[in-house]
Structure formats: C-alpha cells, structure tokens
C-alpha cells in the first residue's frame, strides 16, 4: 500500500456531503481499487454549525476555502462550492499555485476561465479533473477524452439540463403549460438560485463548451455558444411536435465545420423514436459521434447527491491511481482558438405563429418564405376562437440566415400577431 | 515529445486492419493527444500476400505471432487474432514474459485464462487492456473500472451480442421465423465460424464474465455463467411478448448476492419502453447500477471495423499516456473467488407450451404450478387448427427451482406435447 492520498473538500452542500459519505462508507473498497487510502484531511464551508447529517469532527475545519486550498497536508483540492468567480476561482488558483491537483464540479468556473486555469495547472505540473461538471453521474469526460481518444470526433450532442427536460416531458405528460411546471420545479428545489441558468440554457451551455474543447481540441469558448432557452415553448408546440413524430428537447450540439466551430444550446425537434427523443424526466444523455466509433450514447442521472458524488469520486480515484492527463485532454497551449462558425449548418425548421385573421394573410407569409428561398414542407392553419389564427409551418432544409430574412420580411407585413416561434429540426 | 510508443499487431483481420488505418490516418491527432508518436513497428498474420487494402510494406513482418510478441523493439503487443487457446494465448504469454503491455480484443482468451494472465502481467509489472473485448466501441471497461470506481456496483446488465439482437428484432419487424433470419445472418457474415458462439450465448457470456470480474472484484468465472441461447425463441414468443408490453432480448445479468455471484446470459422479457427494450438491430447496450450513481446506460455499435478499432486505440492511447491500472481494476491476487449463486433471484416467468387437446389438460398444468407454490398471473389457451393446443402462462414471482419442479411435474402428466419454453421476465 502506497502513501495515502490526502483530500481537502471546499463546499459541503449536497455534493460535498455525498462525497464525504462515500469516503466514509466505501473506504475499504476504494483502497482495494486504488491501492491507497483516500484520506479526508480538511473541509471548508460557510456555516460550521449546520448539521449536515454526516460527522465532520474528525476533519480539520477551515472557514476560508483559500486557506484550505493552501494547506500543505493535502494533495488534492476538491472544489464543490460553485460560482464562476469569487472564492471558487481564488481557491482553485491557490490550490494550483501551491502544487495540488484540483477536482471540481464547477462548470461555470471552467466555462469562463478554463483556458487560464488549465495553463496554470500545467505550469505547476498539476491537472484539473471535472467529470462531475458535465452530465452528473455519466462518465462522459472520461469516455470522450480517454475511451474515444482514437477518434476524430465529428459531433457531440446532448440533453444536459435535467430540469429543462423534466419541464418539457412533463408538459407533454400532464398537458400543463410551461409556467405551471416552472413553478412546480421551483417548489421541488430543481431550479438554480437564478432560474435563468437552467431554463435559459446557460448551465447546459457551460457543459457543452467544456465537451467541445475536449472533443475538438479547441479552447473553451462559452462566449460563442448560441444560447436559447425553453421559456417560449408552449403546450401547443409540444403537441404539434408529437403529432409529427418529434419531441422538443433543449439540445446542445457542437461540431467543427469548415466554417468554424458550431456550438448551440437551443430547443430543437428530434425524432420521437431516437434515443434523445425517448429521454424522459430529469435524465441526461450525451451522444458522441466519431470517425471510427460511429455513434455512442451515454445516459444517466444528471444531478443529485449520489450521481454527482460518484463522478467526483471517479476523478479522485484516478488521481489516487496516478492516472492523469491534461485538463482538456491535451496541453492547453496546443488547444486551437477556432473561430465560431458564422452560422449553423442548414436544417429544416418548425415555425409557429399567429396571424391576423384576414384574407391573404397566409399568402403573405408564404411569399416571405419563398422570397428568402425557403420551400415549405407542410403548412396548417387551425380552427380558432380567438381573433388571430394559429399557423404551423415546417420548412424544407434552409439556413438560419435565410430563415431570419424571412422572419424579418414577415415582420414587415401587417398580418403578424406577436413573434413567431422558430425551432430547428435536428437530425440526430 | 517523449519517446514513441512502439506497437506490434498480431492479426490483420477486420479489426487489425482498422487499427492500422487509424494509426496511419490520425497520426497527428494521436500525437497531440498522447504526447507521443504511436509507431507501428511490426505485424503478423497468416497470409503475407493477401491484399488487405492498406499498405503494410513499411512494417516488419513476422509469420509467427510469438516471435512478434518477443521482439525487443516493441512496447505493446496488440493481440487481434482471437481464439482462447493456441497462438493467441502463447503470444500473449510471450509478450508478458518479455515485458510488454498487451492490448487485446479477445474475450474468449480472457474469459478462460483471465486470472492466470492477469497474475502473469502483474508479476512482470505490465497490464492487459481489453476494451475491445466487450461491447465493441462502447467504452464500458473504462467507465466501469475507472469512471465508476467510487461505486459499489450492484448490478450489471447488457445486450452484448449484436447478431442475436439483430435476429430477435428482425423477427418482430419482418414476421419471419428464427431459421430464416439465422440463414440471413450467415449470408451477411454476421455469424462466428461456429455460430453456437453467437446464438448459444457463449460470446456474450464471455463478455459478461469479464464485466463481472471488474464490477464485483471477483475472479473471472466464465464456467459459472448460466448460458441459454436464442434458438428456441419462436415468432409466437416475440409476438406474445410484444402484446404484453415486453420485448425478448438475449440479456446478460450479473449481480453479487448474499448467496454468491449470479451470472446469467439468457433470453429474457424486458419492458418494451425501457432502454434495453427499445434497442434495435445490431447495437449493444450495457446498464450499470451502483450505490451512488444509480443507473448508467451506455449504447453503441457492438462490432465492426471502426468501432472495435476505436476501442483498441483507446487502450493504446491510455498506455501511451501512461494511464495504467491492474488488468481487472485491482491486483489479481486480491480478486475474490466468490462461489456462484446456487440460483437466480426470484422473478416472474413467461411459459409457452403445447398441450394435447383433451379435457382437463389445462387443469393438470395449473395443478403442477400450484403444487410447486407458483401462482399464475395470466393464462391463455389459443384457438388452433393443430391437434395440440398452444398455451401461454405468465407466473407471479417465483424461484427457478420452484419453476423447474413444476416443469418436471408437467412432464410427468400425459398432456404435454414437446418441451415448454420458459423465459424470465427481468426487471430492468
């Protein structure tokens, strides 16, 4: 048995407590697997007196996470505080500066500062592991950076925010509108303190930016992720999609194209019979496509104490076993600063709008599409009680630029009531 | 850049050629990721003159794989010949004895000799990597042994023979009997030279035995895997299962129970709406359940040049990066020789049989079940033209022992025509 691996954990919320529980419960199993004792030395959190349901008196307490990160009796700093600036960033930097490896679940921190932190880690001969930052318990970082290392990755896709998927699938199952399910999630504690992080696609966008960097050997570029939330999805959209054999998912897609790196996190229609289309509730799913492996699908719980702690523990066990690769799978200096793609690859689109109910209204809309070079696959106007008429259009494959031109032209007519909803139909 | 990692490949069939292609095509990418050149030094195969569609003149040729394994100018011996004895075993032993790491796709070799080979590797300070041996392109070995290392694994399940899943799903889709689809697979080259390896569940059983060892820290014990093939599944079974909301899959299940290690590879009914139930065609799926992670599902191509070569390359890249763990995730000497469970955990069963068409026949069958303590969930006798009557029974949860007692009692009656089919209904 080698020397123990000494750990310091900053942040004792759900995930932190989950990690402490595993370290206590599975000490023997973890030693057998890693060949070392995993020894929790010190912890840090805001409130020392709170009962967290797990005994903490055997560990040194630091009220300041930066002080914890600097302790010379730990080998690994486990950052489970969250937040992309402030203490999480300072403590991570302090840990690297004083020669510790870092394990973190903090997607925001790495989405914003990943390149700088990876460079800092390498300069110190250390690494940052972040399996828990993406898709909870699914070992996606490891699968992508190690298991599929022999592939040129061609596309990464995923449903990576369980709350959004819960809302969308519950809208269909219960026939309740978005607002009702949003409130339900708020009550159940499924939403981040700032709900925009969830329903606005930001949290999932952070995760996509991290996967992109590993998949394509590029610098993390969260700023270029095209973000669109689920707030405007109506029950009608869900039902129309279903009737056409699709489901609506908050879907992340990243691919390297000749025109640059395409990264989008937006509600899309996907075939109901595809693995992504079949995904229910708060579960996450990531799809990886590579030149050799074709397509791999990974599915699992995207959040929660156990699954997220499992991912943190996977990283800790790797470090205990001496398995270490560069933060984003290759040296940070070699990561490519690929410019963002100016536009997404062409796709069919789903459009829903309301028109003022007067003769020729539909013709004006069809003309706007035709003038932009967009042909219509199907078009329906529904019976209605309201003074405006609901209209549904599915286009043939088109570019987003052409679509935006058509939408602008529609806006110039006198027949639009409100803004249309336009959703990409993704070939998954 | 460190020194190159020097490779010798024995076996230039589909997978071997696939690996050579990736090494040639992605040399730059592989160097960027691993920090080393991956240098193919020598190859070995039966027929030197065969055109394999890839240039081989730049590599040393060895007609004897053992001689290749012993070369002192290679670091890693890549065994892609297959077969659980003979040259594959000799060459693997020669490679370990002369200090090389081994990468192999050979499930039969490890299922039969895994413990001895793992011990030999450790004595030499080397390791054997075998990602390609289980579930093709799915990084399941890595996910289980590294990504989920913080979990006590509670159950491993999977559909791990693509040919069987293709036959079963095509029976449903095309309404053709087993025999027709078996012939189709033979023509398409989907079957092993000895088809019993596929349709008898042996190949999938090898894979399950390897996953068990990693999941539960036990010695590989293929001899205790309860094997049952798909040869007796009829179109009627498929259709009856579908009508009840199930699908029939050749399903592997491994779990550590208080009564010992349970390992079975057998056709089972699984809920049609579960990820396993939805799996179509030649795709593989592995489900892992752990105390922390809950449930993870991995899905991908189980065979083929690209996907299998992708798995081999993942192992090679790990070795190039210096990522190495013990063959089965922990030292071979510490692997537990857990005895096999005397019987599987209780489950409901599906029974199909034909009865001689005379008064009281059904009553005799019902009595046989009742006497064995098995209660009936549903029972149907079908209209029929033949002189024997088709009968379908779904039991409540029961043990396999009780069921076997009931089947023996049925056999003693004078109403059975032929042997009944009994399939476990698995809670997945």
């Amino acid at each position: 048995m080698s020397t123990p691996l000494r750990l310091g954990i900053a942040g004792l919320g759900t995930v932190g407590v989950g990690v402490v529980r595993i370290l206590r419960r599975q000490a023997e199993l973890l030693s057998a697997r890693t060949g070392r004792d995993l020894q929790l030395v010190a912890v840090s959190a805001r409130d020392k007196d709170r009962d967290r349901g797990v005994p903490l008196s055997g560990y040194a307490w630091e009220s300041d996470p930066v002080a914890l990160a600097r302790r010379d009796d730990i080998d690994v700093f486990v950052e489970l505080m969250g937040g992309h600036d402030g203490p999480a960033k300072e403590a991570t930097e302090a840990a690297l500066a004083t020669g510790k490896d870092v394990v973190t679940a903090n997607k925001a921190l790495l989405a914003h500062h990943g390149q700088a932190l990876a460079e800092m880690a390498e300069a110190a001969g250390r690494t940052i592991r972040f399996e828990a930052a993406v898709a909870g318990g699914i070992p996606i970082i490891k699968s992508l950076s190690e298991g599929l290392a022999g592939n040129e990755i061609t596309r990464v896709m995923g449903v990576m925010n369980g709350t959004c998927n819960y809302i969308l699938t519950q809208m269909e199952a219960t026939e309740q509108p978005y607002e009702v399910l949003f409130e339900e999630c708020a009550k159940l504690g499924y939403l981040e303190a700032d709900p925009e992080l969830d329903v606005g696609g930001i949290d999932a966008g952070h995760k996509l930016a991290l996967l992109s960097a590993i998949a394509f050997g590029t610098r993390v570029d969260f700023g270029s992720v095209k973000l669109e939330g689920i707030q405007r999805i109506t029950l009608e959209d869900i039902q129309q999609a279903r009737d056409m054999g699709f489901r609506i998912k908050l879907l992340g897609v990243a691919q390297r194209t000749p025109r640059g790196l395409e990264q989008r996190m937006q509600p899309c229609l996907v075939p109901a019979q595809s693995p992504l289309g079949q995904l229910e509730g708060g579960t996450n799913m990531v799809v990886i496509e590579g030149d050799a492996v074709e397509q791999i699908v990974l599915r699992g719980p995207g959040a929660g104490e156990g699954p997220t702690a499992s991912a943190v523990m996977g990283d800790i066990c790797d470090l205990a076993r001496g398995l270490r690769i560069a933060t984003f799978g290759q040296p940070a200096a070699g990561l490519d600063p690929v410019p963002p793609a100016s536009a997404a690859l062409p796709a069919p689109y789903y459009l829903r709008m309301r028109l003022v109910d007067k003769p020729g209204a539909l013709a004006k809309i069809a003309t706007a599409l035709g003038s932009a070079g967009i042909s219509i696959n199907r078009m329906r106007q529904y019976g209605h009680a309201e003074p405006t008429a609901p209209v549904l259009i599915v286009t043939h494959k088109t570019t987003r630029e052409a679509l935006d031109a058509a939408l602008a032209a529609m806006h110039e007519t006198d027949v639009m009531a409100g803004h249309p909803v336009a959703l990409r139909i993704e070939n998954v």
Side-chain angles (χ1 to χ4, degrees), chain A:
Chain A
M1 184 77 57
S2 316
T3 53
L5 186 79
R6 300 164 304 169
L7 310 170
I9 298 179
L12 292 171
T14 310
V15 181
V17 167
V19 172
V20 175
R21 284 214 177 96
I22 294 178
L23 287 169
R24 297 175 67 90
R25 184 174 74 221
Q26 302 291 8
E28 198 184 336
L29 181 72
L30 296 167
S31 289
R33 288 185 179 156
T34 65
R36 298 171 72 174
D37 280 331
L38 304 185
Q39 188 182 315
L40 179 54
V41 171
V43 296
S44 170
R46 273 193 207 136
D47 178 0
K48 188 175 178 182
D49 298 325
R50 204 176 119 208
D51 180 6
R52 294 174 169 88
V54 62
L56 295 170
S57 59
Y59 316 120
W61 181 274
E62 294 278 0
S63 51
D64 175 9
V66 175
L68 173 66
R70 288 210 180 103
R71 285 177 72 106
D72 59 11
D73 58 356
I74 67 168
D75 305 304
V76 178
F77 177 65
V78 184
E79 190 279 294
L80 303 172
M81 294 180 285
H84 65 79
D85 280 304
K89 179 161 178 271
E90 285 164 41
T92 298
E93 290 168 346
L96 295 172
T98 54
K100 282 90 176 184
D101 290 308
V102 172
V103 172
T104 180
N106 193 331
K107 59 223 78 165
L109 175 70
L110 292 176
H112 286 278
H113 308 293
Q115 181 67 25
L117 290 171
E119 287 174 10
M120 188 180 287
E122 280 166 40
R126 299 288 111 192
T127 189
I128 305 171
R129 305 305 303 150
F130 54 97
E131 187 65 82
V134 182
I138 303 174
I140 180 63
I141 303 290
K142 181 168 277 285
S143 294
L144 187 57
S145 58
E146 300 173 23
L148 302 176
N151 285 264
E152 184 173 334
I153 303 297
T154 48
R155 186 165 64 157
V156 174
M157 294 188 291
V159 168
M160 294 183 277
N161 183 284
T163 303
C164 288
N165 202 53
Y166 177 84
I167 291 176
L168 293 171
T169 53
Q170 284 296 100
M171 283 172 73
E172 178 171 344
T174 66
E175 302 197 335
Q176 295 180 99
Y178 171 81
E179 294 73 20
V180 171
L181 286 154
F182 179 88
E183 283 308 317
E184 185 187 316
C185 284
K187 279 185 199 135
L188 291 168
Y190 288 1
L191 287 164
E192 302 268 354
D194 173 6
E196 181 70 14
L197 286 174
D198 286 309
V199 297
I202 300 168
D203 165 83
H206 288 151
K207 298 170 185 168
L208 185 70
L210 299 180
L211 291 184
S212 275
I214 297 172
F216 307 113
T218 51
R219 290 177 175 233
V220 182
D221 186 11
F222 168 66
S224 299
V225 179
K226 184 175 160 11
L227 287 179
E228 199 183 313
I230 63 166
Q231 303 97 324
R232 291 190 63 213
I233 305 295
T234 63
L235 200 48
E236 198 182 346
D237 293 322
I238 303 263
Q239 291 165 340
Q240 293 292 354
R242 184 193 56 203
D243 292 350
M244 294 188 295
F246 292 96
R247 289 239 159 71
I248 298 177
K249 298 287 168 194
L250 177 63
L251 184 71
V253 178
Q255 51 198 333
R256 202 170 170 163
T257 74
R259 298 188 298 172
L261 181 64
E262 184 178 333
Q263 298 181 97
R264 333 178 234 112
M265 181 58 68
Q266 60 189 176
C268 290
L269 275 67
V270 301
Q273 291 310 310
S274 64
L276 283 163
Q278 290 166 339
L279 191 71
E280 301 281 336
T283 310
N284 279 201
M285 182 176 281
V286 183
V287 178
I288 307 176
E289 293 171 352
D291 65 342
V293 80
E294 298 167 10
Q295 188 187 70
I296 295 283
V297 180
L298 296 94
R299 171 196 158 115
E305 177 185 314
T308 314
S310 164
V312 171
M313 287 306 308
D315 284 341
I316 292 174
C317 288
D318 270 5
L319 293 172
R321 282 165 155 168
L323 309 183
R324 49 168 68 240
I325 63 171
T327 302
F328 293 105
Q330 52 183 289
L335 294 169
D336 216 347
V338 177
S342 53
L345 293 172
Y349 279 83
Y350 160 100
L351 304 176
R352 181 180 52 77
M353 62 194 76
R354 301 192 79 91
L355 299 186
V356 179
D357 199 359
K358 59 183 181 187
L362 215 49
K364 289 188 182 175
I365 297 307
T367 301
L369 287 165
S371 303
I374 301 172
S375 60
I376 294 173
N377 182 353
R378 50 176 127 175
M379 185 170 197
R380 270 197 257 178
Q381 178 174 324
Y382 290 88
H384 54 286
E386 309 85 354
T388 57
V391 169
L392 176 83
I393 297 170
V394 175
T395 74
H396 282 292
K397 210 177 251 199
T398 178
T399 62
R400 182 75 212 198
E401 297 96 312
L403 187 71
D404 286 340
L407 292 172
M410 290 179 199
H411 193 68
E412 295 300 308
T413 68
D414 54 356
V415 301
M416 297 290 292
H419 286 283
V421 165
L423 302 176
R424 188 178 165 98
I425 300 179
E426 193 74 34
N427 172 27
V428 295

